[in-house]
Amino acid sequence: MSVSSKQKIANAVAMQASGYSLEQIFYKDEDIYQAELDHFFLKHWIFAGHSCQIPEIGNYLTLNFDSESIIVVRSDDGEIKAHVNICRHRGSRLCLDDSGNAKRFTCPYHAWSYRLNGDLAAARNMPDDFDYAKNGLHSVKLETIGGLIFINLSANPPSLSAIRDDLGEILSHLGVDRLSLAQQKRYVIPANWKLALENYQECYHCAPSHQEFAKIHAMARAPEDYARLKTEYWAKHPNNIKFQQFNRYFGLAEVGQEGYQYDRNPLLSNKLSGRKNGNAIAPLIGQLDSYDGGASELMIGPFSFFLIYDDHVLAYRFLPISKDQSICDVFWFVDENAQSGRDYDLEQLTWLWDVTTQADKTIIQNNQKGVDSRFYKSGRLSEMETFQQSFLDWYLTLLALSAE
Ligand code: FES
Ligand SMILES: [Fe+2]
């Protein structure tokens, strides 16, 4: 990055008031966007999917953001591997599908072909001194946490060990490692990725924008109401493993560890799950033997969030396509043995978070339109936007470091 670009970023961070929405430059400036790619998306762990999506050798899925594409594949030894999705010949995109099954990955350009573990298997008419061993696919760091697959594009990623230590037992109790994918849906949002992520991080907008959600989740209530409902709910379940809190997100993460958060929050009275009438949807997950009227919120890394009801699990992943466009991928998981049509109705299962994410897309898009205006000025945040504020503080700190 040029000296003048660094100076521009440092100046922007210095001018930004804490407790206020970001100034326009953070949503509009191409140098800032490039710094975000380098210092956020190429350094932190990104949820790639669940191991249940690629159960057999050769099953793969691809993860794409900005100009990057990653192949996540169940390799010949049964292990899951991740490769950069570019051919080592002249750099063509190698695998063009979102998911599938392959014995090998063959380049659509000149047909070099690669084994599932990334090794180059065949390259036509190459000189005698061509070294196959030096032309395998670039590998990408990959780790799983209770079936959840994460990839990281850095050579030195933050550790996931604290997450495993704190959450391993809870996630196993909740059966997060024993799920099947019921549905996956992509929402393309014509807005900067931070507007999409910030919106997910606050529930100030829930009451006015998400009537359906607000009829089921206590979180949409005013802070004092919500605090009272949460205290009452927790008091009913002493010593239950689900009821723990880990606030290690953003600036609260230990040095060298990836950020995370886990909490258990109440639904409204007599609501059991995220369905139109708040009734149960699907078979209980993990070791649960009854509904307790709540759901767990989980964040792993800055871009991946999970909402764990007693009978299904939602995953949300936010990624940039460009400075002005982002993606929210939503995954609906149920117990590994649950079958659509027999044990749950897919439309009932997906209704709440489809309607909610569509509404989010609209309000985020409107937010971007206003932020684009010459008259936009950053505005004061509310008491219901403290989590978003902690993200912004962390974001600004890291961005300032990138400009040093
Ligand atoms: S670019 Fe892949 S074989 Fe030529
Ligand atoms: Fe929302």
Side-chain angles (χ1 to χ4, degrees):
M1 201 191 307
S2 69
V3 173
S4 63
S5 296
K6 285 188 172 186
Q7 192 56 53
K8 175 176 61 180
I9 294 175
N11 289 347
V13 172
M15 295 289 289
Q16 174 66 44
S18 184
Y20 283 74
S21 66
L22 290 176
E23 297 285 354
Q24 187 182 58
I25 188 171
F26 294 100
Y27 300 114
K28 302 280 286 177
D29 186 82
E30 188 60 36
D31 289 332
I32 290 183
Y33 176 63
Q34 292 303 322
E36 291 170 349
L37 291 170
D38 289 344
H39 294 274
F40 292 85
F41 292 96
L42 268 67
K43 289 208 171 144
H44 286 275
W45 290 93
I46 302 172
F47 175 65
H50 192 281
S51 58
C52 69
Q53 294 173 249
I54 46 173
E56 310 287 345
I57 288 169
N59 288 168
Y60 68 83
L61 51 87
T62 55
L63 181 151
N64 305 301
F65 69 91
D66 190 66
S67 50
E68 306 308 336
S69 179
I70 311 300
I71 304 171
V72 176
V73 59
R74 179 84 62 176
S75 192
D76 288 306
D77 59 2
E79 296 291 312
I80 301 173
K81 299 261 188 334
H83 313 297
V84 176
N85 188 10
I86 51 174
C87 178
R88 293 296 309 281
H89 175 220
R90 280 170 46 201
S92 170
R93 180 74 77 240
L94 178 62
C95 176
L96 306 179
D97 297 324
D98 289 340
S99 63
N101 188 275
K103 285 196 168 52
R104 285 183 180 186
F105 295 107
T106 301
C107 181
Y109 202 170
H110 315 94
W112 282 24
S113 98
Y114 300 86
R115 297 192 181 87
L116 301 177
N117 67 3
D119 289 350
L120 180 62
R124 295 155 44 243
N125 310 108
M126 294 301 290
D128 290 344
D129 63 349
F130 176 68
D131 189 346
Y132 274 64
K134 288 187 178 153
N135 283 279
L137 298 176
H138 295 299
S139 70
V140 172
K141 294 214 162 43
L142 179 147
E143 291 199 32
T144 59
I145 300 175
L148 307 172
I149 304 167
F150 292 86
I151 58 115
N152 189 298
L153 297 174
S154 145
N156 252 323
S159 170
L160 298 173
S161 64
I163 298 175
R164 286 208 179 79
D165 290 347
D166 282 345
L167 299 177
E169 217 179 323
I170 298 173
L171 296 182
S172 169
H173 179 76
L174 293 169
V176 169
D177 54 343
R178 302 184 297 283
L179 297 174
S180 66
L181 180 69
Q183 178 86 287
Q184 179 178 352
K185 200 165 168 189
R186 169 157 295 183
Y187 302 83
V188 177
I189 305 172
N192 180 270
W193 67 275
K194 296 188 294 302
L195 290 176
L197 200 64
E198 289 175 77
N199 175 71
Y200 189 83
Q201 292 165 345
E202 52 90 356
C203 212
Y204 193 33
H205 73 277
C206 293
S209 297
H210 299 312
Q211 288 175 14
E212 303 84 1
F213 174 86
K215 285 181 184 147
I216 298 169
H217 285 256
M219 195 179 278
R221 293 289 175 93
E224 54 280 11
D225 260 8
Y226 171 53
R228 178 181 52 78
L229 290 167
K230 185 160 177 169
T231 305
E232 289 168 8
Y233 170 61
W234 273 59
K236 284 189 208 150
H237 304 280
N239 307 323
N240 187 309
I241 187 172
K242 283 185 287 187
F243 289 80
Q244 298 189 52
Q245 250 183 345
F246 296 98
N247 291 323
R248 291 291 193 180
Y249 50 84
F250 306 131
L252 300 175
E254 282 174 55
V255 175
Q257 295 284 338
E258 183 59 284
Y260 58 105
Q261 192 218 13
Y262 175 87
D263 197 2
R264 182 88 185 161
N265 290 310
L267 303 177
L268 291 170
S269 173
N270 300 321
K271 307 297 187 213
L272 304 180
S273 190
R275 177 178 167 184
K276 204 171 245 174
N277 51 17
N279 286 351
I281 297 178
L284 289 163
I285 54 172
Q287 295 165 35
L288 306 186
D289 54 13
S290 63
Y291 290 85
D292 72 13
S296 295
E297 310 260 349
L298 169 67
M299 179 186 102
I300 296 181
F303 321 116
S304 311
F305 302 84
F306 305 87
L307 174 58
I308 308 171
Y309 293 103
D310 285 341
D311 58 9
H312 68 291
V313 177
L314 271 294
Y316 312 83
R317 175 179 65 203
F318 295 90
L319 292 169
I321 297 176
S322 66
K323 176 170 63 66
D324 304 313
Q325 204 171 37
S326 55
I327 297 166
C328 175
D329 283 316
V330 182
F331 304 71
W332 286 262
F333 297 101
V334 291
D335 177 78
E336 62 184 353
N337 296 315
Q339 281 183 26
S340 178
R342 185 190 73 182
D343 300 312
Y344 66 91
D345 180 282
L346 189 59
E347 201 158 318
Q348 287 174 358
L349 180 81
T350 56
W351 169 77
L352 177 61
W353 283 98
D354 184 46
V355 77
T356 303
T357 311
Q358 295 281 8
D360 278 328
K361 176 175 167 167
T362 302
I363 56 182
I364 296 163
Q365 187 171 356
N366 292 339
N367 196 172
Q368 179 74 60
K369 285 179 181 165
V371 164
D372 285 343
S373 162
R374 287 164 184 78
F375 296 96
Y376 169 74
K377 288 213 179 328
S378 82
R380 183 84 188 266
L381 298 180
S382 76
E383 289 171 355
M384 289 179 76
E385 292 162 300
T386 51
F387 190 65
Q388 177 196 355
Q389 181 62 57
S390 60
F391 164 71
L392 293 178
D393 290 344
W394 175 77
Y395 164 81
L396 291 164
T397 304
L398 286 198
L399 197 64
L401 287 175
S402 80
E404 279 181 356

